[in-house]
Amino acid sequence: MKNYIYKSGLALIVLAALTSCQKEEDRVFSETSTERVEQREIELQNHLLTAEHGWKLVYVTDGKRYGGFTYLLDFAGGRHVRMVSDFNEEGLIAETGEYQIKMRGTTSLIFSTRTKIHELSDPINSAYENGKGFNGEFQFGYYGKSEDGNEMYFKTPKQGTEAVFVKATKEDWDRFEEQYNMGFNMSLDTQPIFRVLEVNEGGNVVNYDLNYLPSVRFAKIDKGEMLNNQSSFGVGYTPDGVKLTKGIKVGEDIATDFIFDPNTSSFNYSANGNTASIKYSEAPINWNDSYKVTLKDSNTRLFFDAGDLAGASTNSPLFRKYLDKFKKDSKPGLSQIQIYFKQGAGNYATFAFNGASYRLNFNVQDDNDALKITDKRWTSNNVPADLKEFAEALFEDKLYFRVESFKIKYSNTLVTIMSNKQAIALANYDYNSSF
Amino acid sequence: MKTNNILKGLGLFFTLGLVLTSCSSDDKIGDSIYNTEEQPKTELDQWIFKSYTEPYNIDATYLWNESMGKPDKTLFPPKLSSVKPALQVVKKIWIDSYSEVGGEDFVKLIAPRQLHLIGSYNLNHNGTIVLGEAGGGARITLYNVDFVDYTDLEDVREFVHTIQHEYIHILNQSKPYDIVTWKALGEKLGGYTSNWYNQNDEDSNNLGFVTPYARLNSDEDFAETASFVLLSSKAELESFLSKVKSADGKAIIEQKIAIVEKYFLDQFSMDFFELRDAAERNTNDVINGNFEENQP
């Protein structure tokens, strides 16, 4: 018995020896996976360096809520990349950071020290939800390039956002400041806050109310009919106008490029006898009646807190400018605005300004779409001049209301109020759940 | 029988020989298919190597690595220009103070193996901010290194607090403190609670804790008490104690500080208050801009 075990053991060893050397396998690829990963990394690294003027990325972090932020990226050998962005004024000053190419699920390009692109991932500068920044990522999985090599395709790992790097031109760099400045024309302080999209298809003109949010570069068609099943679009700036990140259908064409006309301050598209324009408007066309709450519910209270709401996407650039101006000389500035609508008992707004509180009483009238403000009077005569200027501009004539669908930090509904006389818009908490 | 055994032995020997040699071929082992070339080190990398890795066996890292981030958080890596000052300040206030009082080799023998820097704030969804974190004593992560004003005392203290706190944990892992006596003190008035974040400073002080976070458990209490003293001047500590309204609470805090003092003396032959003075001196040097000297 022992012998059998011994012999069969021996036979197994011999069999193992004879079969273990069969090297040939059926392979799908001629290289091993490791070799292919290596090759992919080399391809990406080399291709990044082929563009004479670097690459241009119009980064749309979330097409449902954001427009495009443009980055010009000039990669150098080793680990350095020079970058500019049109996110803010600082973005125009080129900055060098580091990048790496690593295997992260797939071959990935990682911007490994903070440069411009990280401004979309700053938790203390969030457009919508607290702590989320502008939903940006700075790691990009590489998925290949176009046949002519002029485009490279990437996808972000967390949100699966597609990003296309296009070879940049000398003109892109030369006119980048013009491109940045074009953004101001989309939200001019000197023009009303309301915007209209006018579409003319073979003489048939339809106007849509457009709610444009400059901080996120996103436009929504307010109320009214939908434009060919599309109710929103993002924009990216170009030196000559804006480029819609998702075009709108005008006639049989898809309109994406709108050119700025400095004479009318509008952005215009034209093709095959059809036109479309993004224009400023003294008043909205179809508005909502959410303002009526303030005439019925005597508990209505709007609460703006600068600590939580200064970065809200619906705050207009002019309102942001006022907030910045008030903060000068390290003072706290305008920290809170509370507006009480109490009907018969009187309406008033209080302003917490540099540690003191000031009160403005006023009356209201229903003005079809908006609340007309009348009989303004301050309860004290020591109101600082700059606060007075701001408050009286906000309450100058009519207030328009819009109930927002997003929330910031608290579960309270957000209500944006807009002045019809100056381009002031600010988000407020609906303190007592009136809306 | 004997011959049989010899034959069997020989058979086995040859078979094994066959197994061992049959797969060998004449191919020589080639170069690795991986790129094994060492990546060129930047000036900053070389500085880190000389200042941290070589003398203290601490890896100071700053490049983004998602495995060291938090998947549910939005964070970004530091600017290149923020890395060296942050590491210089940490070295000055933490390493230099311990080296001065505990001896040159003190930190070399007991230290976290990695210091990782993150440029952005680490914001919780409820708006609170995480300043730093320690992973099992092996890695300490410091956040918001892009936003520290090194001329501002409170900013510097807040930044260094993490490392002073976490290093106490690392010391505790090396040499234990008198946990029985400590726990008894901690439970004398308020006791420990996982609900510490709903407590305020004043109430915590009156219950014998230096901060609300100290109420989490005795280990955190010990680390908070020690780091609280290390971050305060003598006058500030006295002023703090004089303002604790409850006499019992104050007595407990004083007894805890005495235990910390005894711990450093018994376990590490260090004068705790001498360490505090060194840290204070080095902190003042930092806010006066003197933290670049003695660097390689």
Side-chain angles (χ1 to χ4, degrees), chain A residues 3 6 10 13-14 16-18 20-21 23 32 34-35 38 78-80 95-98 100 104-105 110-115 118-124 126 130-134 136 138-139 157-158 409, chain B residues 8-9 11-12 15-16 18-19 22-25 27 33-35 39-42 44-45 62-66 70-80 119-127 129 146-147:
Chain A
N3 244 350
Y6 180 76
L10 213 59
I13 294 172
V14 172
L18 291 173
S20 62
C21 295
K23 274 184 171 173
T32 64
T34 320
E35 285 166 337
E38 278 279 298
R79 11 194 272 206
H80 291 106
E95 188 177 27
T96 299
E98 295 194 6
Q100 290 179 309
R104 294 278 185 267
I110 305 156
F111 295 101
S112 49
T113 67
R114 180 182 168 203
T115 46
H118 300 89
E119 61 212 1
L120 299 175
S121 306
D122 184 354
I124 55 167
S126 298
N130 215 26
K132 293 280 180 192
F134 278 60
F138 42 86
Q139 181 171 313
K158 277 190 185 174
K409 195 169 175 180
Chain B
K8 271 185 193 168
L12 200 66
T15 314
L16 279 176
L18 188 71
V19 172
S22 59
C23 290
S24 74
S25 73
D27 295 343
I33 49 171
Y34 293 101
N35 182 2
Q39 294 298 306
K41 278 198 163 78
T42 62
L44 177 62
D45 294 339
Y62 58 93
L63 295 176
W64 179 256
N65 184 338
E66 64 178 357
K70 301 257 158 195
D72 61 327
K73 295 280 182 76
T74 299
L75 305 168
F76 56 66
K79 273 180 188 273
L80 276 172
S120 67
Y121 283 93
N122 178 353
L123 211 65
N124 287 324
H125 300 301
N126 61 8
I129 287 172
D146 278 354
F147 300 97

Side-chain angles (χ1 to χ4, degrees), chain A residues 337-357:
Chain A
I337 303 171
Q338 301 202 54
I339 309 175
Y340 297 81
F341 297 95
K342 292 186 171 293
Q343 288 89 54
N347 308 297
Y348 61 95
T350 60
F351 300 85
F353 189 78
N354 289 334
S357 180

